[in-house]
Amino acid sequence: MENLTMLQFFEWYYPADGSLWRFFASEARWLKDIGIDAVWLPPAHKGMAGGQASGYDSYDLYDLGEFNQRGTVRTKYGTKQEYIDAVQAGKQAGLKVYADIVLNHMGGAEEKEEITVRKVNPENRMEFISEPYEIEAFTKFTFPARAGKYSGFTWDHRCFSGVDYDARKQETAIYKIQNEYGEDWQDVISDELGNYDYLMLSDIDFRNPLVREELKRWGKWFYETAGFDGFRLDAIKHMNPEFFNEWLDYMRAEFNSEFYTVGEYWAPGDLGAMLRYIEFTQERMSLFDAPLQANLHRASVEGKNYDLRTVFDDTLVQARPELAVTLVENHDTQPLQSLEQTVERWFRPLAYALILLRADGYPCVFYTDLYGSSYEDNGRDGQAQQVTMEKMTELEALLVLRKRYAYGIQVDYFNDPQCIGWTRQGDEIHPESGCAVLMSNGLGTTKAMEMGKSFAGRIFTDYLGKIDGQVIINEDGWGDFQVYAGSVSVWTAEG
Ligand code: CA
């Protein structure tokens, strides 16, 4: 890998004006120019919330903005043709395009069914709190406007393991559907909440072989329709890993394609569960490094009280670097979102240096750090809040540093709780390469770090332009590099 970088090309509050696919198509060449190699686009299918749907509320996987369903033809991001054109524009610009796959649940069914369920304790889903009884649940999906085009499959209660609404009593709870595939939930990796198979809406039951067959048929159709390069898999913590083993094996064999895949197993405090998932899926996919994102959040909140030497402790990039997708923020962690755990602005350049300029991990840049965003939503207290996420002025320079300079042997100086640094000593393939990175969450300081004797006598300057001075590398290959308080500087050799 040539220091690849991924971009998450959306944020939760991107306007629901149907413009995202066209905007991406128009940006693709520029993104490639600034050092982006791959782009994760949001879900392409119609969600339950129609034109407002993020897509994480799957309704009809075959409706990519083609049918008048859920009150709209287009999705939040545009029409089917605009999606296809966007993927093509990305590929023509030399980008890899990853499609976002949401197969844990569906919502927005047209018809109710009378089904037998047992209520479970929401805090411990292994505990039934009722005997079996009948409810009316929205579990029959008929997709009337699509009318069987592409697939005549009808989803009903035999395709789902649980629901959260009884239309008869107008009651919300978690109901385990008693179907022929089991009285219990599907097996998942962790025992959070007893069993976290159920997340939301109608939870898909992969024990039904017709469901697995239909989702393979859909995967084939989706790839033949849109021609993307890989996948981002949503909510895999809530799914039995056997399903994606089978589905990915099928897709890769059917199309003889690698289909790079990253899964969302969001367990910031449970690296063990993530490693068990990796074991179970036998390296078929990478995972987002949720523990690292949590550490970056904490470092940003705790400031000078955070011990920077521990920033990689208990992270995926430390445990399984080749399978870690590192990130600073995503559409769930951004302010006012469901897993809110933002990285404060002062720390973002430091956080990006930590994911972009080190040897390990496949970094994923978040949309707002490139484009900014401003939005309003209700906070946890129910009060409306205004949020501004400013674009990060250092980001483009850090992307250049990753592509041109951050190569070769890495020597770490993680020897001060408030100031850490490392050097990359460059390699022969990249003639300008080599850099010295130094960051502080406390006072401004200086640290001696080794670049290697091949740099003796060379003059280094701060590529990020925060510090005006020069550093001259001594005859042993060392330099005294400087950083300001609460800042990061990246020193590179002058030409
Ligand atoms: Ca599930």
Side-chain angles (χ1 to χ4, degrees), residues 103-105 161 185-186 188 196-199 203-206 235 237-240:
L103 300 183
N104 178 64
H105 49 260
S161 68
W185 299 108
Q186 300 166 91
V188 293
Y196 215 160
D197 179 14
Y198 187 82
L199 175 64
D203 189 81
I204 295 178
D205 196 329
F206 302 98
K237 186 165 93 174
H238 310 284
M239 301 166 73
N240 183 301

Side-chain angles (χ1 to χ4, degrees), residues 259-274:
F259 287 127
Y260 173 84
T261 299
V262 55
E264 182 211 18
Y265 194 104
W266 199 257
D270 195 356
L271 178 65
M274 296 173 66

